[in-house]
């Protein structure tokens, strides 16, 4: 039976300043981890091996499993509760459970990147990999090589999904060469991350629709198109509108002073995108080119 003092202390969370006597009190520890599982860190070692205490802790905060006794990291019920709450804790469990499909599926569904910590057989399991890349596209890099050639898996990795904010075309870099030449996949990738254009097969970097999708997502993508296309006004204009500071470095001399591009650049500056100090001279030269190109029209306009 707990005294009033102990009951009062039990309402507090364990911390580094908690006296050893209280850290070893099962009721106090159980009350603490039921509110904040991570306070298992401050429990006495013998209670880190107490099954009920640890199960309560990981159900609240899966990450608390890292503080549990090693023996309990092999307990299937405890591990399943932990990874269901926090998939990243898969890295701390016993290896044999990293090969358990139900446990790994629970982990990657919650946190796709956890595929990194799965057993080798799980990285070659199509269902597991598809679930992982659907949650986090970058998990593709941890998939077995043959699954990086699986069109459905790669498309899921590079496409945004309403269920996740972690889908990004960046995952295209981990796809097989064959799928880097797949137009639908590349288009889906650059629409999410313009820089993915760098990873596309060279032939697709000249595809107008793909180029525009890429630069409309990120003006920086203009540096990955073939140099002979840098002079394309439509592409340069789209890049400047999206990322003026990044794109200006790749606008060819023949487009310097172009009215539409210059106005887009000015609009970007006035829109709150401050000019980086190292680019001030470049901006001044660019704007001077516009004035020189249109000086006669300006003089005529002033004379009216």
């Amino acid at each position: 039976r707990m005294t009033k003092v102990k009951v009062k202390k039990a309402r507090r969370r364990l911390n580094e300043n908690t006296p050893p006597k209280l850290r070893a009190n099962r009721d106090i520890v159980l009350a603490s981890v039921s509110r904040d599982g991570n306070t298992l860190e401050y429990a006495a070692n013998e209670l880190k091996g107490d099954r009920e205490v640890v199960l309560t802790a990981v159900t609240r905060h899966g990450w608390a499993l890292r503080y549990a006794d090693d023996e309990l990291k092999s307990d299937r019920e405890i591990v399943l509760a932990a990874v269901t709450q926090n998939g990243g804790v898969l890295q701390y469990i016993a290896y044999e459970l990293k090969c358990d499909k139900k446990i790994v599926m629970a982990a990657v569904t919650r946190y796709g990147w956890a595929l990194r910590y799965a057993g080798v057989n799980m990285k070659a399991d199509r269902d597991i990999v598809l679930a992982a890349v659907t949650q986090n596209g970058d998990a593709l890099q941890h998939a077995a090589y043959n699954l990086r050639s699986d069109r459905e898996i790669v498309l899921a990795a590079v496409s945004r999904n309403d269920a996740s904010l972690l889908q990004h075309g960046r995952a295209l870099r981990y796809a097989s060469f064959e799928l880097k030449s797949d137009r639908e996949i590349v288009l889906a990738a650059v629409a999410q991350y313009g820089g993915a254009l760098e990873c596309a097969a060279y032939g697709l970097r000249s595809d107008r629709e793909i180029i525009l999708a890429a630069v409309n997502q990120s003006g920086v993508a203009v540096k990955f198109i073939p140099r002979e296309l840098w002079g394309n006004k439509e592409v340069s204009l789209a890049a400047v509108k999206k990322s003026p500071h990044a794109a200006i470095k790749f606008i060819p001399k023949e487009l310097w002073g172009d009215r539409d591009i210059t106005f887009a650049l000015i609009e970007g500056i006035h829109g709150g995108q401050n000019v980086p100090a190292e680019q001030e001279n470049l901006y001044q030269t660019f704007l001077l080119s516009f004035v020189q190109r249109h000086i006669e029209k300006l003089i005529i306009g002033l004379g009216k």
Side-chain angles (χ1 to χ4, degrees):
R1 184 178 177 180
M2 296 177 67
T3 65
K4 289 183 178 181
V5 174
K6 286 184 176 180
V7 169
K8 184 177 180 180
K9 289 183 179 294
R11 295 196 184 103
R12 303 174 185 171
R13 290 180 173 83
L14 296 177
N15 57 59
E16 65 273 15
N17 297 317
T18 302
K21 187 175 180 180
L22 297 182
R23 296 187 189 206
N25 184 297
R26 190 175 188 276
D27 291 330
I28 290 178
V29 171
L30 196 55
S32 180
V33 299
S34 67
R35 290 192 300 276
D36 182 351
N38 286 322
T39 59
L40 181 65
E41 177 183 5
Y42 306 110
N45 288 334
E46 60 269 21
L47 291 179
K48 290 179 180 180
D50 183 302
R51 193 173 187 281
E52 183 184 1
V53 169
V54 173
L55 184 58
T56 299
V58 301
T59 299
R60 187 70 173 173
H61 291 113
W63 204 244
L65 185 66
R66 58 184 169 162
Y67 306 120
D69 184 87
D70 286 343
E71 184 177 345
L72 294 182
K73 292 175 183 176
S74 298
D75 184 301
R76 192 171 188 275
E77 183 184 1
I78 287 177
V79 168
L80 186 57
V83 299
T84 298
Q85 206 284 322
N86 187 324
V89 80
L90 189 70
Q91 63 187 290
Y92 297 111
I93 71 175
Y95 184 79
E96 61 268 19
L97 294 182
K98 293 182 179 182
C99 298
D100 183 304
K101 186 167 182 175
K102 185 174 182 179
I103 287 175
V104 176
M105 182 64 81
V108 301
T109 299
R110 182 79 174 180
Y111 178 55
W113 187 255
L115 184 64
R116 174 183 182 182
Y117 309 113
V120 174
N121 63 324
M122 292 293 97
K123 292 178 180 179
D125 185 294
R126 190 176 187 279
D127 295 334
I128 293 289
V129 172
L130 185 57
V133 301
T134 297
Q135 201 284 322
N136 186 331
D138 267 357
L140 184 64
Q141 67 183 287
H142 301 299
Y145 188 78
N146 65 302
L147 292 181
R148 300 186 200 180
S149 299
D150 185 303
R151 193 172 189 280
E152 182 183 2
I153 286 175
V154 173
L155 192 56
V158 302
S159 304
R160 183 169 295 281
N161 185 300
D162 289 341
S164 171
L165 295 179
L166 295 173
Q167 302 304 118
H168 31 59
R170 190 169 60 186
L172 183 65
R173 72 182 68 180
Y174 308 117
S176 66
F177 178 78
E178 178 186 2
L179 293 183
K180 288 176 181 177
S181 301
D182 184 302
R183 190 175 186 279
E184 182 184 0
I185 287 177
V186 171
L187 189 56
V190 300
Q192 300 305 323
Y193 175 62
L197 187 63
E198 179 183 16
C199 306
Y202 190 78
L204 292 180
R205 296 189 205 175
S206 300
D207 184 297
R208 178 180 174 277
E209 185 179 2
I210 289 175
I211 290 173
L212 288 176
V215 298
N216 278 321
Q217 199 286 320
S218 172
V220 181
V222 72
K223 68 181 179 180
F224 300 123
I225 68 175
R227 186 174 290 271
E228 61 269 19
L229 294 179
W230 282 7
N232 183 294
K233 178 179 174 178
E234 183 180 19
V235 172
S236 292
L237 182 58
V240 168
K241 285 183 176 180
K242 186 65 181 181
S243 309
H245 300 330
I248 190 174
K249 295 181 291 185
F250 303 100
I251 298 174
K253 295 290 185 181
E254 59 265 27
L255 289 179
W256 282 36
D258 178 88
R259 180 181 181 279
D260 296 327
I261 292 177
T262 302
F263 282 9
L265 194 64
I266 293 173
E267 185 177 349
I269 298 172
H270 283 249
Q273 299 191 35
N274 295 326
V275 179
E278 67 275 13
Q279 289 190 350
E280 286 183 359
N281 290 337
L282 181 59
Y283 270 80
Q284 291 173 4
T285 303
F286 193 95
L287 295 176
L288 181 59
S289 296
F290 172 77
V291 174
Q292 291 174 336
R293 177 179 289 193
H294 298 279
I295 189 66
E296 291 184 7
K297 293 181 180 180
L298 290 173
I299 292 175
I300 293 173
L302 291 172
K304 291 183 179 180

